[in-house]
Amino acid sequence: MKNQANGCKKPKIIVWTHAYNVEKYIKNALQSMICQTYDNWEWYLTDNASTDQTPAIIESFLQAHPDERIHYFKRKYNTLLQPGKEKDPFLEEILPSFVGKDYYITSLDSDDYFAPDALEIMATPVIEHGVDYVITGRQAFSEEGHYPADLPVTRLFPDIADLSDVWSKNYICMRTAWGKLFHLDGYYTILHNKEKKAMSNGNDTYTNLLYMQMSSSAASVGKVTVHFCIRPDSIFNSNVFPERYRAYVKIYQKTIELFRKWNRMRPSNLLFAAQVLQSSMIETIAPTTRDVDAPQALQLIENILTDETVYQVLSQYHLYDPFLQTAFSLLQKNAVFPDGHPSSEAEQYFHIWVLLALQKQAADPNDWYGSVCCLLRAVLAENNRYHVGLPLLHERLKSSTDARVQSVFDTLTSPGTAERIRTNPSSFCAAITRDRERLQQTTLHENGVWAQMVDPSDAEQAQLEQYRQTALNALQSGDLVSLDPALEQLARFSPFDYGTIYAKIYQFCLLGQLEEAACVASLIEYLYPYNPLLVDTAVMVFEETGRAAAARSVSQKHLPFACEE
């Protein structure tokens, strides 16, 4: 874009608005436009096929306050609900006619309103310094009232690359198209950018990043120009789909591209970009926590937790584990399952098991076995590529009364060991089940890392077998009085031995606690996929509790790390 060297006369500012079902708010927008202290503007207001009183309110207001600078259009078809059904006269006919006329453009959302001097604040840096990009402040409001304002620093940037000096201070005000003033020629080019058109959301932020790539100068003004509405039913809070988060990954990548173009790859800017990616992932997860059992929400959360770029960037800056902690805090706070437990479809997603573990621990801190079973099920899940829940599992297992389990998972925190466990689940299974045969197949055993702590001696093997038999005899005789102490001995000696798991499942079944039995049975396909007795038991429990998919999985699935290596 051509920069204006020494300022210019008052430029014409084009304001455009699409209104849809905003009968509670549109009058504020209308009033704020006709009260502007700056007069060289034109407003192109389109009703986007509203189904409430929005059109009637607009028409009534314009009859009472006629202004030739306001151009009003009514659409028959909504651009989002029925795209392509009807031309948009402003975007397709009027806006192209303005290219080359040295106009500027800004937008006003139909549920927002301008400060009286908004356009004057935006225009002043253009008039005085000829910049082609202006950033201003904003203030949110809701039915409860106004929130603190977000204000950029007040500064002129003859070289737009110097925006990187105050990137973190200005960023929140650069995420929206409103509250900005763009040179219309550059803005029009961006409207036809293929990358932007492909964005499912985050369009405003991406627009600013693209615009900055082609701009030469800018200014930011620490004054509020736009008051914007926070609504629970907004598109941002209600538009949940599995790939939604990818837009914010693209925004991160475009930000790094911009820093590289400007030669401003400073560590502080790179860290801030990673922090923005982290907060964007949290903002994307937050709306899904209210409907966490829904397929779209389930898949969206899993996609975020296993996305390679998200993991690599956040891990590089030690932000991944704090991100997980915040994400699961949101889930734990907001998630409500029908009938008190997730659907069988939801249980196919590993993050649901982490959530169940947290809920169990919160409900009964002494339910060590239940929460650990859920965490094991999550960590060992094939689709959990970064083993989300592993740090939580470490902490829970270290609190075990079994000294051997404690020593094993103390070792998990030693440098490099946790990563080897991530990439070698068979050693993980050997560690928690004290499975000598599987342990001997692992590289960790060859390195001597686990042998001393996990590999049971012959005497210990004999003792373990004795405990198993005692518990099984109690089950077969139906002697629940004898089963409790026998199972307690077995669980203390080896909490995830196949005898422990078998006895626990039947104990829960005999007590009528089928959901708890299913929780324990979910481990079988990972720990003992070739034990016919346990597989048959798991299938029985899953069928009894309506988990057809889980029954098929445990009877058919062949897990790579369960095979001989």
Side-chain angles (χ1 to χ4, degrees):
M1 257 176 295
K2 184 179 179 181
N3 188 36
Q4 316 224 0
N6 298 307
C8 64
K9 62 181 181 180
K10 292 173 65 174
K12 176 164 285 189
I13 297 177
I14 304 300
V15 183
W16 72 296
T17 301
H18 269 125
Y20 178 69
N21 287 359
V22 283
E23 59 185 9
K24 289 174 61 177
Y25 309 101
I26 190 62
K27 197 167 185 178
N28 289 334
L30 290 159
Q31 189 69 41
S32 74
M33 277 303 305
I34 65 169
C35 291
Q36 287 300 301
T37 57
Y38 187 84
D39 58 8
N40 193 15
W41 55 262
E42 290 187 25
W43 187 23
Y44 291 83
L45 170 61
T46 302
D47 175 68
N48 203 10
S50 294
T51 57
D52 65 358
Q53 292 300 307
T54 298
I57 294 171
I58 293 174
E59 290 163 8
S60 175
F61 187 93
L62 295 182
Q63 286 178 0
H65 305 84
D67 193 318
E68 61 182 11
R69 296 171 298 177
I70 300 176
H71 310 274
Y72 175 53
F73 307 92
K74 288 181 68 174
R75 292 183 60 87
K76 184 177 179 181
Y77 301 101
N78 184 278
T79 53
L80 293 177
L81 302 178
Q82 296 173 293
K85 291 277 287 184
E86 181 183 2
K87 282 187 175 183
D88 187 318
F90 173 69
L91 291 176
E92 298 180 47
E93 297 174 3
I94 297 170
L95 192 60
S97 71
F98 293 154
V99 174
K101 293 186 175 182
D102 215 18
Y103 288 177
Y104 282 72
I105 188 169
T106 190
S107 61
L108 176 66
D109 283 2
S110 57
D111 53 357
D112 301 343
Y113 63 93
F114 278 143
D117 56 352
L119 297 183
E120 185 174 355
I121 290 171
M122 293 180 193
T124 299
V126 177
I127 297 169
E128 295 180 354
H129 304 287
V131 301
D132 49 33
Y133 180 48
V134 181
I135 304 159
T136 65
R138 62 186 202 167
Q139 186 174 33
F141 70 93
S142 66
E143 292 182 356
E144 285 73 37
H146 277 75
Y147 297 83
D150 301 315
L151 299 175
V153 298
T154 298
R155 181 171 165 183
L156 179 68
F157 305 96
D159 180 356
I160 196 170
D162 291 337
L163 258 175
S164 62
D165 296 342
V166 292
W167 191 263
S168 62
K169 295 177 181 177
N170 278 12
Y171 187 78
I172 193 169
C173 294
M174 296 190 297
R175 294 184 65 183
T176 60
W178 37 264
K180 312 295 167 309
L181 194 62
F182 304 94
H183 194 280
L184 189 144
D185 291 7
Y187 188 82
Y188 181 75
T189 301
I190 290 171
L191 288 180
H192 295 82
N193 181 278
K194 290 182 179 180
E195 292 178 356
K196 179 184 179 298
K197 284 186 173 182
M199 294 282 284
S200 56
N201 53 297
N203 281 277
D204 282 6
T205 306
Y206 208 70
T207 294
N208 280 282
L209 293 170
L210 287 171
Y211 189 87
M212 281 185 269
Q213 280 192 329
M214 64 175 68
S215 296
S216 58
S217 61
S220 55
V221 184
K223 295 181 180 179
V224 171
T225 60
V226 179
H227 299 271
F228 69 98
C229 183
I230 296 177
R231 292 192 287 160
D233 61 344
S234 67
I235 292 176
F236 178 84
N237 285 321
S238 58
N239 194 14
V240 173
F241 54 94
E243 303 305 318
R244 170 178 173 167
Y245 79 101
R246 292 192 185 278
Y248 302 107
V249 174
K250 288 183 179 179
I251 286 170
Y252 168 80
Q253 293 167 334
K254 183 59 70 173
T255 302
I256 300 303
E257 182 183 313
L258 184 63
F259 290 152
R260 189 173 288 112
K261 179 181 185 295
W262 286 348
N263 194 26
R264 298 294 197 275
M265 296 286 282
R266 300 189 183 109
S268 58
N269 283 340
L270 299 179
L271 171 60
F272 183 75
Q275 290 170 332
V276 169
L277 179 64
Q278 179 197 42
S279 63
S280 297
M281 295 303 101
I282 292 296
E283 288 175 355
T284 307
I285 285 176
T288 71
T289 62
R290 295 188 293 272
D291 197 11
V292 74
D293 216 15
Q296 297 274 61
L298 287 164
Q299 192 60 59
L300 172 60
I301 297 171
E302 180 176 296
N303 287 349
I304 292 174
L305 298 184
T306 59
D307 183 88
E308 183 175 1
T309 300
V310 173
Y311 177 75
Q312 295 296 340
V313 172
L314 298 190
S315 295
Q316 179 182 355
Y317 293 97
H318 308 290
L319 297 172
Y320 188 72
D321 287 343
F323 155 66
L324 291 179
Q325 184 177 357
T326 305
F328 281 105
S329 294
L330 282 170
L331 286 166
Q332 192 175 4
K333 178 182 178 181
N334 298 330
V336 177
F337 296 116
D339 303 321
H341 57 83
S343 65
S344 57
E345 290 80 9
E347 288 178 349
Q348 305 307 307
Y349 294 86
F350 66 83
H351 59 275
I352 290 298
W353 290 93
V354 179
L355 175 59
L356 288 173
L358 291 169
Q359 291 180 337
K360 283 179 179 293
Q361 187 174 344
D364 183 2
N366 296 319
D367 183 14
W368 181 90
Y369 198 83
S371 62
V372 169
C373 280
C374 291
L375 287 170
L376 275 173
R377 169 61 175 78
V379 169
L380 294 173
E382 187 177 23
N383 54 342
N384 188 357
R385 62 188 299 188
Y386 300 120
H387 296 275
V388 171
L390 186 58
L392 288 170
L393 181 59
H394 294 172
E395 294 303 315
R396 289 300 281 163
L397 284 165
K398 284 194 293 185
S399 69
S400 168
T401 55
D402 183 347
R404 186 175 295 265
V405 172
Q406 286 181 338
S407 63
V408 167
F409 284 89
D410 282 340
T411 304
L412 269 179
T413 60
S414 65
T417 306
E419 186 57 36
R420 283 180 286 179
I421 290 297
R422 289 177 188 270
T423 57
N424 193 348
S426 64
S427 62
F428 191 99
C429 295
I432 61 173
T433 62
R434 305 178 66 188
D435 185 333
R436 186 194 313 201
E437 183 177 350
R438 185 179 289 172
L439 178 68
Q440 290 171 346
Q441 299 170 5
T442 71
T443 56
L444 293 183
H445 182 270
E446 293 171 7
N447 295 336
V449 176
W450 297 96
Q452 182 180 356
M453 292 176 293
V454 182
D455 200 359
S457 66
D458 290 339
E460 288 174 326
Q461 283 282 53
Q463 189 176 21
L464 182 57
E465 184 56 42
Q466 178 184 347
Y467 289 153
R468 287 175 186 153
Q469 197 58 51
T470 302
L472 292 176
N473 289 342
L475 274 177
Q476 290 170 358
S477 64
D479 184 2
L480 290 179
V481 175
S482 301
L483 177 60
D484 281 340
L487 183 53
E488 183 179 352
Q489 276 186 318
L490 185 57
R492 285 176 64 86
F493 189 78
S494 185
F496 300 101
D497 174 72
Y498 71 81
T500 310
I501 289 178
Y502 182 78
K504 277 282 188 183
I505 290 173
Y506 269 93
Q507 183 186 47
F508 284 132
C509 287
L510 291 169
L511 294 172
Q513 299 175 357
L514 294 182
E515 291 300 323
E516 296 294 334
C519 171
V520 179
S522 68
L523 296 177
I524 289 172
E525 69 174 297
Y526 301 99
L527 302 184
Y528 301 102
Y530 299 126
N531 185 306
L533 176 65
L534 289 181
V535 168
D536 288 346
T537 302
V539 170
M540 176 199 72
V541 171
F542 292 147
E543 289 179 344
E544 186 69 22
T545 54
R547 293 170 167 84
R552 286 194 301 272
S553 180
V554 74
S555 60
Q556 298 173 4
K557 192 172 183 182
H558 185 69
L559 298 180
F561 58 80
C563 303
E564 291 188 5
E565 300 174 359

